[in-house]
Amino acid sequence: MALEEYRRKRDFKKTPEPAPGRVWAHAKKLSYLIQKHDATRLHYDFRLELDGVLLSWAVTRGPSLNPADKRLAVRTEDHPLAYGSFEGTIPKGEYGGGTVMLWDRGWWEPVGDPHEGLAKGHLSMILHGERLKGKWELVRMKGEGKRENWLLIKGRDEYAESGELPGEDAVSVKSGRSMEEIAGGRK
Ligand code: MN
Protein backbone atom coordinates (compact mmCIF):
# COMPACT_ATOMS: atom_id res chain seq x y z
CA MET A 1 0.00 0.00 0.00
CA ALA A 2 1.17 3.49 -0.67
CA LEU A 3 -0.41 6.72 0.53
CA GLU A 4 -3.08 7.23 -2.17
CA GLU A 5 -5.80 5.70 -0.04
CA TYR A 6 -4.81 7.81 2.94
CA ARG A 7 -4.98 10.94 0.79
CA ARG A 8 -8.23 9.98 -0.96
CA LYS A 9 -10.13 9.56 2.32
CA ARG A 10 -9.29 12.95 3.73
CA ASP A 11 -9.85 16.62 3.01
CA PHE A 12 -6.71 18.32 4.29
CA LYS A 13 -8.43 21.69 4.25
CA LYS A 14 -10.77 20.38 6.94
CA THR A 15 -8.79 17.96 9.05
CA PRO A 16 -5.74 18.84 11.15
CA GLU A 17 -4.12 15.48 10.25
CA PRO A 18 -0.90 15.78 8.24
CA ALA A 19 -1.08 15.69 4.46
CA PRO A 20 1.40 13.28 2.93
CA GLY A 21 4.55 15.22 2.26
CA ARG A 22 7.94 14.24 1.14
CA VAL A 23 9.33 11.10 2.64
CA TRP A 24 12.26 11.79 4.86
CA ALA A 25 15.06 9.32 5.01
CA HIS A 26 14.44 7.72 8.35
CA ALA A 27 16.92 7.35 11.14
CA LYS A 28 18.27 3.90 11.71
CA LYS A 29 15.62 3.16 14.29
CA LEU A 30 12.18 2.39 12.89
CA SER A 31 9.43 4.21 14.70
CA TYR A 32 6.56 2.47 16.42
CA LEU A 33 3.49 4.08 17.98
CA ILE A 34 -0.07 3.56 19.05
CA GLN A 35 -2.78 6.20 18.77
CA LYS A 36 -5.94 5.81 20.81
CA HIS A 37 -8.73 6.93 18.50
CA ASP A 38 -12.18 7.72 19.78
CA ALA A 39 -13.92 7.42 16.42
CA THR A 40 -17.34 5.90 15.67
CA ARG A 41 -15.92 2.94 17.52
CA LEU A 42 -13.05 3.37 19.97
CA HIS A 43 -9.89 1.60 18.80
CA TYR A 44 -6.12 1.70 19.04
CA ASP A 45 -4.14 2.37 15.86
CA PHE A 46 -0.96 0.31 15.94
CA ARG A 47 1.67 1.69 13.53
CA LEU A 48 5.08 0.44 12.44
CA GLU A 49 7.48 2.35 10.22
CA LEU A 50 8.68 0.45 7.18
CA ASP A 51 9.92 1.73 3.80
CA GLY A 52 9.10 5.35 4.57
CA VAL A 53 5.48 4.87 5.66
CA LEU A 54 3.63 3.74 8.77
CA LEU A 55 2.08 0.29 8.32
CA SER A 56 -1.19 0.43 10.25
CA TRP A 57 -3.63 -1.84 12.05
CA ALA A 58 -6.72 -0.89 14.06
CA VAL A 59 -6.84 -2.89 17.29
CA THR A 60 -10.38 -2.70 18.62
CA ARG A 61 -9.75 -3.82 22.17
CA GLY A 62 -6.21 -2.49 22.48
CA PRO A 63 -3.11 -4.54 23.29
CA SER A 64 -2.90 -7.10 26.10
CA LEU A 65 0.18 -8.20 28.03
CA ASN A 66 -1.23 -11.71 28.35
CA PRO A 67 0.25 -13.99 25.64
CA ALA A 68 -2.98 -16.02 25.71
CA ASP A 69 -4.98 -13.01 24.46
CA LYS A 70 -5.24 -12.62 20.72
CA ARG A 71 -6.40 -9.15 19.84
CA LEU A 72 -8.05 -8.54 16.48
CA ALA A 73 -5.99 -6.07 14.45
CA VAL A 74 -7.56 -4.96 11.17
CA ARG A 75 -5.02 -3.75 8.62
CA THR A 76 -5.74 -0.21 7.50
CA GLU A 77 -4.15 2.08 4.94
CA ASP A 78 -0.51 3.08 5.29
CA HIS A 79 -0.05 6.48 6.91
CA PRO A 80 2.67 9.09 6.37
CA LEU A 81 5.53 9.12 8.89
CA ALA A 82 4.45 12.57 10.08
CA TYR A 83 1.23 11.03 11.36
CA GLY A 84 3.28 9.43 14.10
CA SER A 85 3.28 12.59 16.20
CA PHE A 86 -0.31 13.61 15.46
CA GLU A 87 -2.63 14.24 18.36
CA GLY A 88 -5.82 16.22 18.14
CA THR A 89 -9.40 16.09 17.01
CA ILE A 90 -10.52 15.18 13.51
CA PRO A 91 -13.74 17.12 12.79
CA LYS A 92 -17.06 15.29 12.86
CA GLY A 93 -18.13 14.18 9.43
CA GLU A 94 -14.54 13.84 8.20
CA TYR A 95 -12.95 10.43 7.73
CA GLY A 96 -12.11 9.00 11.17
CA GLY A 97 -13.78 11.94 12.93
CA GLY A 98 -12.95 11.92 16.65
CA THR A 99 -10.15 12.47 19.13
CA VAL A 100 -6.67 10.99 18.66
CA MET A 101 -4.22 10.54 21.55
CA LEU A 102 -0.64 9.36 21.33
CA TRP A 103 -0.92 6.31 23.60
CA ASP A 104 2.55 4.85 23.07
CA ARG A 105 5.66 5.64 21.08
CA GLY A 106 9.18 4.38 20.59
CA TRP A 107 10.88 2.17 18.03
CA TRP A 108 10.68 -1.41 16.83
CA GLU A 109 13.07 -4.11 15.70
CA PRO A 110 11.82 -6.63 13.16
CA VAL A 111 12.80 -10.21 13.99
CA GLY A 112 13.78 -11.63 10.63
CA ASP A 113 13.02 -9.94 7.31
CA PRO A 114 9.92 -7.75 7.80
CA HIS A 115 9.04 -7.83 4.08
CA GLU A 116 8.96 -11.64 4.14
CA GLY A 117 7.00 -11.51 7.37
CA LEU A 118 4.39 -9.19 5.86
CA ALA A 119 4.10 -11.35 2.75
CA LYS A 120 3.63 -14.56 4.66
CA GLY A 121 1.43 -12.97 7.30
CA HIS A 122 3.61 -13.37 10.35
CA LEU A 123 5.49 -10.36 11.64
CA SER A 124 7.68 -10.88 14.70
CA MET A 125 9.13 -7.89 16.47
CA ILE A 126 10.68 -6.39 19.55
CA LEU A 127 8.93 -3.22 20.69
CA HIS A 128 10.78 -0.48 22.54
CA GLY A 129 7.87 1.70 23.55
CA GLU A 130 7.11 3.57 26.72
CA ARG A 131 4.23 1.21 27.46
CA LEU A 132 4.75 -1.83 25.24
CA LYS A 133 8.08 -3.62 25.38
CA GLY A 134 9.63 -6.90 24.37
CA LYS A 135 8.37 -9.54 21.96
CA TRP A 136 5.17 -9.10 19.98
CA GLU A 137 3.66 -10.93 17.03
CA LEU A 138 1.23 -9.92 14.31
CA VAL A 139 -0.34 -12.92 12.60
CA ARG A 140 -2.64 -12.69 9.59
CA MET A 141 -5.81 -14.77 9.76
CA LYS A 142 -6.90 -16.90 6.88
CA GLY A 143 -9.96 -15.87 4.97
CA GLU A 144 -10.92 -13.65 2.13
CA GLY A 145 -12.67 -10.36 2.10
CA LYS A 146 -11.97 -6.72 1.75
CA ARG A 147 -10.32 -6.42 5.11
CA GLU A 148 -7.13 -8.08 6.25
CA ASN A 149 -7.64 -9.40 9.73
CA TRP A 150 -4.57 -9.97 11.85
CA LEU A 151 -4.05 -10.86 15.50
CA LEU A 152 -1.80 -8.89 17.83
CA ILE A 153 -0.23 -11.19 20.43
CA LYS A 154 2.28 -10.61 23.22
CA GLY A 155 5.29 -12.91 22.99
CA ARG A 156 6.44 -14.80 26.06
CA ASP A 157 9.21 -12.90 27.81
CA GLU A 158 9.89 -10.99 31.00
CA TYR A 159 7.46 -8.24 29.97
CA ALA A 160 4.50 -10.59 29.57
CA GLU A 161 2.05 -9.96 32.39
CA SER A 162 4.81 -8.37 34.46
CA GLY A 163 3.15 -5.02 34.50
CA GLU A 164 -0.17 -3.45 33.84
CA LEU A 165 -1.25 -1.29 30.98
CA PRO A 166 -3.05 1.93 31.80
CA GLY A 167 -6.80 1.61 31.47
CA GLU A 168 -9.46 3.91 30.13
CA ASP A 169 -7.98 6.91 31.94
CA ALA A 170 -4.56 6.64 30.25
CA VAL A 171 -3.01 9.97 29.36
CA SER A 172 -0.95 10.88 26.30
CA VAL A 173 2.72 9.88 26.25
CA LYS A 174 3.32 13.05 24.25
CA SER A 175 1.40 15.74 26.10
CA GLY A 176 0.19 14.15 29.34
CA ARG A 177 -3.36 15.11 28.38
CA SER A 178 -6.46 12.97 28.81
CA MET A 179 -8.81 12.27 25.90
CA GLU A 180 -11.18 14.93 27.27
CA GLU A 181 -8.40 17.51 27.42
CA ILE A 182 -7.34 16.76 23.86
CA ALA A 183 -10.97 16.91 22.70
CA GLY A 184 -11.37 20.22 24.51
CA GLY A 185 -8.30 21.62 22.80
CA ARG A 186 -6.33 22.19 26.01
CA LYS A 187 -2.65 22.74 25.25
MN1 MN B 1 -8.13 5.09 13.62
PDB file of all heavy atoms in Angstrom, residues 16 18 35 82-89 99-103 171-178 182 186:
ATOM      1  N   PRO A  16      -7.091  18.430  10.737  1.00  0.00           N
ATOM      2  CA  PRO A  16      -5.742  18.842  11.148  1.00  0.00           C
ATOM      3  C   PRO A  16      -4.695  17.745  10.964  1.00  0.00           C
ATOM      4  O   PRO A  16      -3.523  17.966  11.250  1.00  0.00           O
ATOM      5  CB  PRO A  16      -5.935  19.151  12.645  1.00  0.00           C
ATOM      6  CG  PRO A  16      -7.051  18.256  13.070  1.00  0.00           C
ATOM      7  CD  PRO A  16      -7.973  18.137  11.881  1.00  0.00           C
ATOM      8  N   PRO A  18      -1.896  15.369   9.228  1.00  0.00           N
ATOM      9  CA  PRO A  18      -0.895  15.782   8.241  1.00  0.00           C
ATOM     10  C   PRO A  18      -1.199  15.260   6.839  1.00  0.00           C
ATOM     11  O   PRO A  18      -1.615  14.120   6.680  1.00  0.00           O
ATOM     12  CB  PRO A  18       0.411  15.180   8.770  1.00  0.00           C
ATOM     13  CG  PRO A  18       0.023  14.132   9.746  1.00  0.00           C
ATOM     14  CD  PRO A  18      -1.331  14.489  10.274  1.00  0.00           C
ATOM     15  N   GLN A  35      -1.900   5.064  18.533  1.00  0.00           N
ATOM     16  CA  GLN A  35      -2.779   6.198  18.771  1.00  0.00           C
ATOM     17  C   GLN A  35      -4.143   5.691  19.211  1.00  0.00           C
ATOM     18  O   GLN A  35      -4.755   4.869  18.519  1.00  0.00           O
ATOM     19  CB  GLN A  35      -2.905   7.060  17.501  1.00  0.00           C
ATOM     20  CG  GLN A  35      -1.690   7.976  17.316  1.00  0.00           C
ATOM     21  CD  GLN A  35      -1.401   8.353  15.878  1.00  0.00           C
ATOM     22  OE1 GLN A  35      -1.612   7.544  14.978  1.00  0.00           O
ATOM     23  NE2 GLN A  35      -0.889   9.546  15.660  1.00  0.00           N
ATOM     24  N   ALA A  82       4.785  11.410   9.255  1.00  0.00           N
ATOM     25  CA  ALA A  82       4.446  12.573  10.077  1.00  0.00           C
ATOM     26  C   ALA A  82       3.223  12.316  10.947  1.00  0.00           C
ATOM     27  O   ALA A  82       3.007  12.988  11.952  1.00  0.00           O
ATOM     28  CB  ALA A  82       4.210  13.802   9.199  1.00  0.00           C
ATOM     29  N   TYR A  83       2.418  11.334  10.569  1.00  0.00           N
ATOM     30  CA  TYR A  83       1.227  11.026  11.359  1.00  0.00           C
ATOM     31  C   TYR A  83       1.605  10.533  12.746  1.00  0.00           C
ATOM     32  O   TYR A  83       0.818  10.612  13.694  1.00  0.00           O
ATOM     33  CB  TYR A  83       0.375   9.967  10.657  1.00  0.00           C
ATOM     34  CG  TYR A  83      -1.092  10.051  11.020  1.00  0.00           C
ATOM     35  CD1 TYR A  83      -1.966  10.762  10.238  1.00  0.00           C
ATOM     36  CD2 TYR A  83      -1.589   9.432  12.167  1.00  0.00           C
ATOM     37  CE1 TYR A  83      -3.309  10.869  10.565  1.00  0.00           C
ATOM     38  CE2 TYR A  83      -2.927   9.536  12.509  1.00  0.00           C
ATOM     39  CZ  TYR A  83      -3.781  10.250  11.703  1.00  0.00           C
ATOM     40  OH  TYR A  83      -5.107  10.362  12.041  1.00  0.00           O
ATOM     41  N   GLY A  84       2.825  10.034  12.861  1.00  0.00           N
ATOM     42  CA  GLY A  84       3.281   9.433  14.105  1.00  0.00           C
ATOM     43  C   GLY A  84       3.305  10.370  15.292  1.00  0.00           C
ATOM     44  O   GLY A  84       3.326   9.921  16.432  1.00  0.00           O
ATOM     45  N   SER A  85       3.299  11.676  15.065  1.00  0.00           N
ATOM     46  CA  SER A  85       3.277  12.593  16.202  1.00  0.00           C
ATOM     47  C   SER A  85       1.943  13.335  16.281  1.00  0.00           C
ATOM     48  O   SER A  85       1.786  14.253  17.077  1.00  0.00           O
ATOM     49  CB  SER A  85       4.443  13.585  16.117  1.00  0.00           C
ATOM     50  OG  SER A  85       4.402  14.242  14.880  1.00  0.00           O
ATOM     51  N   PHE A  86       0.978  12.911  15.466  1.00  0.00           N
ATOM     52  CA  PHE A  86      -0.315  13.613  15.458  1.00  0.00           C
ATOM     53  C   PHE A  86      -1.152  13.300  16.689  1.00  0.00           C
ATOM     54  O   PHE A  86      -1.315  12.162  17.098  1.00  0.00           O
ATOM     55  CB  PHE A  86      -1.132  13.265  14.215  1.00  0.00           C
ATOM     56  CG  PHE A  86      -2.517  13.839  14.223  1.00  0.00           C
ATOM     57  CD1 PHE A  86      -2.716  15.196  14.049  1.00  0.00           C
ATOM     58  CD2 PHE A  86      -3.617  13.026  14.450  1.00  0.00           C
ATOM     59  CE1 PHE A  86      -3.995  15.748  14.084  1.00  0.00           C
ATOM     60  CE2 PHE A  86      -4.902  13.564  14.484  1.00  0.00           C
ATOM     61  CZ  PHE A  86      -5.091  14.924  14.300  1.00  0.00           C
ATOM     62  N   GLU A  87      -1.692  14.357  17.249  1.00  0.00           N
ATOM     63  CA  GLU A  87      -2.625  14.244  18.357  1.00  0.00           C
ATOM     64  C   GLU A  87      -3.598  15.404  18.186  1.00  0.00           C
ATOM     65  O   GLU A  87      -3.166  16.519  17.900  1.00  0.00           O
ATOM     66  CB  GLU A  87      -1.842  14.388  19.670  1.00  0.00           C
ATOM     67  CG  GLU A  87      -2.626  14.042  20.898  1.00  0.00           C
ATOM     68  CD  GLU A  87      -1.709  13.869  22.126  1.00  0.00           C
ATOM     69  OE1 GLU A  87      -1.426  14.878  22.774  1.00  0.00           O
ATOM     70  OE2 GLU A  87      -1.303  12.754  22.404  1.00  0.00           O
ATOM     71  N   GLY A  88      -4.866  15.138  18.325  1.00  0.00           N
ATOM     72  CA  GLY A  88      -5.824  16.221  18.144  1.00  0.00           C
ATOM     73  C   GLY A  88      -7.185  15.662  17.825  1.00  0.00           C
ATOM     74  O   GLY A  88      -7.451  14.481  18.046  1.00  0.00           O
ATOM     75  N   THR A  89      -8.044  16.516  17.298  1.00  0.00           N
ATOM     76  CA  THR A  89      -9.404  16.092  17.012  1.00  0.00           C
ATOM     77  C   THR A  89      -9.714  16.264  15.536  1.00  0.00           C
ATOM     78  O   THR A  89      -9.566  17.358  14.987  1.00  0.00           O
ATOM     79  CB  THR A  89     -10.414  16.867  17.881  1.00  0.00           C
ATOM     80  OG1 THR A  89     -10.119  16.559  19.254  1.00  0.00           O
ATOM     81  CG2 THR A  89     -11.839  16.452  17.595  1.00  0.00           C
ATOM     82  N   THR A  99     -11.373  12.040  18.456  1.00  0.00           N
ATOM     83  CA  THR A  99     -10.147  12.471  19.126  1.00  0.00           C
ATOM     84  C   THR A  99      -9.054  11.409  19.014  1.00  0.00           C
ATOM     85  O   THR A  99      -9.319  10.222  19.132  1.00  0.00           O
ATOM     86  CB  THR A  99     -10.463  12.770  20.605  1.00  0.00           C
ATOM     87  OG1 THR A  99     -11.449  13.795  20.634  1.00  0.00           O
ATOM     88  CG2 THR A  99      -9.222  13.244  21.354  1.00  0.00           C
ATOM     89  N   VAL A 100      -7.829  11.880  18.784  1.00  0.00           N
ATOM     90  CA  VAL A 100      -6.668  10.993  18.658  1.00  0.00           C
ATOM     91  C   VAL A 100      -5.646  11.351  19.734  1.00  0.00           C
ATOM     92  O   VAL A 100      -5.251  12.508  19.858  1.00  0.00           O
ATOM     93  CB  VAL A 100      -6.012  11.146  17.265  1.00  0.00           C
ATOM     94  CG1 VAL A 100      -4.746  10.297  17.159  1.00  0.00           C
ATOM     95  CG2 VAL A 100      -6.992  10.769  16.155  1.00  0.00           C
ATOM     96  N   MET A 101      -5.234  10.352  20.505  1.00  0.00           N
ATOM     97  CA  MET A 101      -4.223  10.540  21.552  1.00  0.00           C
ATOM     98  C   MET A 101      -3.020   9.642  21.270  1.00  0.00           C
ATOM     99  O   MET A 101      -3.173   8.491  20.867  1.00  0.00           O
ATOM    100  CB  MET A 101      -4.802  10.154  22.915  1.00  0.00           C
ATOM    101  CG  MET A 101      -3.750  10.008  24.009  1.00  0.00           C
ATOM    102  SD  MET A 101      -4.352   9.004  25.377  1.00  0.00           S
ATOM    103  CE  MET A 101      -5.236  10.259  26.266  1.00  0.00           C
ATOM    104  N   LEU A 102      -1.833  10.188  21.477  1.00  0.00           N
ATOM    105  CA  LEU A 102      -0.636   9.361  21.334  1.00  0.00           C
ATOM    106  C   LEU A 102      -0.501   8.490  22.595  1.00  0.00           C
ATOM    107  O   LEU A 102      -0.144   8.991  23.657  1.00  0.00           O
ATOM    108  CB  LEU A 102       0.583  10.258  21.115  1.00  0.00           C
ATOM    109  CG  LEU A 102       1.745   9.622  20.360  1.00  0.00           C
ATOM    110  CD1 LEU A 102       1.325   9.063  18.999  1.00  0.00           C
ATOM    111  CD2 LEU A 102       2.856  10.619  20.168  1.00  0.00           C
ATOM    112  N   TRP A 103      -0.826   7.229  22.455  1.00  0.00           N
ATOM    113  CA  TRP A 103      -0.925   6.305  23.599  1.00  0.00           C
ATOM    114  C   TRP A 103       0.417   5.618  23.897  1.00  0.00           C
ATOM    115  O   TRP A 103       0.694   5.256  25.029  1.00  0.00           O
ATOM    116  CB  TRP A 103      -2.019   5.275  23.289  1.00  0.00           C
ATOM    117  CG  TRP A 103      -2.380   4.374  24.423  1.00  0.00           C
ATOM    118  CD1 TRP A 103      -3.338   4.608  25.369  1.00  0.00           C
ATOM    119  CD2 TRP A 103      -1.802   3.096  24.743  1.00  0.00           C
ATOM    120  NE1 TRP A 103      -3.379   3.548  26.252  1.00  0.00           N
ATOM    121  CE2 TRP A 103      -2.455   2.617  25.896  1.00  0.00           C
ATOM    122  CE3 TRP A 103      -0.801   2.305  24.162  1.00  0.00           C
ATOM    123  CZ2 TRP A 103      -2.148   1.389  26.491  1.00  0.00           C
ATOM    124  CZ3 TRP A 103      -0.482   1.090  24.744  1.00  0.00           C
ATOM    125  CH2 TRP A 103      -1.157   0.645  25.906  1.00  0.00           C
ATOM    126  N   VAL A 171      -3.269   8.657  29.956  1.00  0.00           N
ATOM    127  CA  VAL A 171      -3.013   9.966  29.359  1.00  0.00           C
ATOM    128  C   VAL A 171      -1.979   9.826  28.249  1.00  0.00           C
ATOM    129  O   VAL A 171      -1.309   8.810  28.115  1.00  0.00           O
ATOM    130  CB  VAL A 171      -2.521  11.002  30.405  1.00  0.00           C
ATOM    131  CG1 VAL A 171      -3.618  11.284  31.435  1.00  0.00           C
ATOM    132  CG2 VAL A 171      -1.241  10.548  31.067  1.00  0.00           C
ATOM    133  N   SER A 172      -1.857  10.875  27.452  1.00  0.00           N
ATOM    134  CA  SER A 172      -0.954  10.885  26.305  1.00  0.00           C
ATOM    135  C   SER A 172       0.515  10.763  26.730  1.00  0.00           C
ATOM    136  O   SER A 172       0.935  11.410  27.685  1.00  0.00           O
ATOM    137  CB  SER A 172      -1.142  12.200  25.552  1.00  0.00           C
ATOM    138  OG  SER A 172      -0.060  12.415  24.669  1.00  0.00           O
ATOM    139  N   VAL A 173       1.285   9.952  25.992  1.00  0.00           N
ATOM    140  CA  VAL A 173       2.725   9.884  26.255  1.00  0.00           C
ATOM    141  C   VAL A 173       3.430  11.119  25.681  1.00  0.00           C
ATOM    142  O   VAL A 173       4.588  11.374  25.977  1.00  0.00           O
ATOM    143  CB  VAL A 173       3.380   8.599  25.663  1.00  0.00           C
ATOM    144  CG1 VAL A 173       2.909   7.358  26.396  1.00  0.00           C
ATOM    145  CG2 VAL A 173       3.139   8.481  24.162  1.00  0.00           C
ATOM    146  N   LYS A 174       2.718  11.868  24.856  1.00  0.00           N
ATOM    147  CA  LYS A 174       3.324  13.051  24.249  1.00  0.00           C
ATOM    148  C   LYS A 174       3.050  14.301  25.078  1.00  0.00           C
ATOM    149  O   LYS A 174       3.947  15.100  25.330  1.00  0.00           O
ATOM    150  CB  LYS A 174       2.759  13.253  22.837  1.00  0.00           C
ATOM    151  CG  LYS A 174       3.303  14.462  22.098  1.00  0.00           C
ATOM    152  CD  LYS A 174       2.582  14.673  20.773  1.00  0.00           C
ATOM    153  CE  LYS A 174       3.183  15.851  20.013  1.00  0.00           C
ATOM    154  NZ  LYS A 174       2.403  16.134  18.786  1.00  0.00           N
ATOM    155  N   SER A 175       1.795  14.468  25.477  1.00  0.00           N
ATOM    156  CA  SER A 175       1.397  15.745  26.095  1.00  0.00           C
ATOM    157  C   SER A 175       0.898  15.594  27.527  1.00  0.00           C
ATOM    158  O   SER A 175       0.655  16.600  28.190  1.00  0.00           O
ATOM    159  CB  SER A 175       0.287  16.379  25.253  1.00  0.00           C
ATOM    160  OG  SER A 175      -0.868  15.553  25.270  1.00  0.00           O
ATOM    161  N   GLY A 176       0.723  14.363  27.998  1.00  0.00           N
ATOM    162  CA  GLY A 176       0.192  14.154  29.341  1.00  0.00           C
ATOM    163  C   GLY A 176      -1.292  14.468  29.457  1.00  0.00           C
ATOM    164  O   GLY A 176      -1.853  14.460  30.550  1.00  0.00           O
ATOM    165  N   ARG A 177      -1.944  14.743  28.340  1.00  0.00           N
ATOM    166  CA  ARG A 177      -3.364  15.110  28.377  1.00  0.00           C
ATOM    167  C   ARG A 177      -4.267  13.884  28.326  1.00  0.00           C
ATOM    168  O   ARG A 177      -3.930  12.867  27.722  1.00  0.00           O
ATOM    169  CB  ARG A 177      -3.712  16.025  27.193  1.00  0.00           C
ATOM    170  CG  ARG A 177      -3.014  17.373  27.223  1.00  0.00           C
ATOM    171  CD  ARG A 177      -3.422  18.235  26.024  1.00  0.00           C
ATOM    172  NE  ARG A 177      -3.044  17.616  24.750  1.00  0.00           N
ATOM    173  CZ  ARG A 177      -3.387  18.113  23.572  1.00  0.00           C
ATOM    174  NH1 ARG A 177      -4.114  19.221  23.499  1.00  0.00           N
ATOM    175  NH2 ARG A 177      -2.998  17.516  22.459  1.00  0.00           N
ATOM    176  N   SER A 178      -5.444  14.020  28.920  1.00  0.00           N
ATOM    177  CA  SER A 178      -6.462  12.971  28.810  1.00  0.00           C
ATOM    178  C   SER A 178      -7.185  13.141  27.467  1.00  0.00           C
ATOM    179  O   SER A 178      -7.028  14.168  26.789  1.00  0.00           O
ATOM    180  CB  SER A 178      -7.470  13.116  29.950  1.00  0.00           C
ATOM    181  OG  SER A 178      -8.186  14.337  29.792  1.00  0.00           O
ATOM    182  N   ILE A 182      -7.686  16.626  25.278  1.00  0.00           N
ATOM    183  CA  ILE A 182      -7.342  16.760  23.857  1.00  0.00           C
ATOM    184  C   ILE A 182      -8.575  17.206  23.078  1.00  0.00           C
ATOM    185  O   ILE A 182      -8.524  18.124  22.254  1.00  0.00           O
ATOM    186  CB  ILE A 182      -6.791  15.433  23.295  1.00  0.00           C
ATOM    187  CG1 ILE A 182      -5.474  15.081  23.983  1.00  0.00           C
ATOM    188  CG2 ILE A 182      -6.594  15.524  21.774  1.00  0.00           C
ATOM    189  CD1 ILE A 182      -4.996  13.661  23.735  1.00  0.00           C
ATOM    190  N   ARG A 186      -7.277  21.662  25.026  1.00  0.00           N
ATOM    191  CA  ARG A 186      -6.331  22.192  26.005  1.00  0.00           C
ATOM    192  C   ARG A 186      -4.892  21.913  25.570  1.00  0.00           C
ATOM    193  O   ARG A 186      -4.583  20.826  25.129  1.00  0.00           O
ATOM    194  CB  ARG A 186      -6.580  21.526  27.376  1.00  0.00           C
ATOM    195  CG  ARG A 186      -6.102  22.397  28.532  1.00  0.00           C
ATOM    196  CD  ARG A 186      -6.227  21.651  29.844  1.00  0.00           C
ATOM    197  NE  ARG A 186      -4.886  21.381  30.376  1.00  0.00           N
ATOM    198  CZ  ARG A 186      -4.672  20.735  31.509  1.00  0.00           C
ATOM    199  NH1 ARG A 186      -5.652  20.243  32.197  1.00  0.00           N
ATOM    200  NH2 ARG A 186      -3.440  20.541  31.935  1.00  0.00           N
TER     201      ARG A 186
END
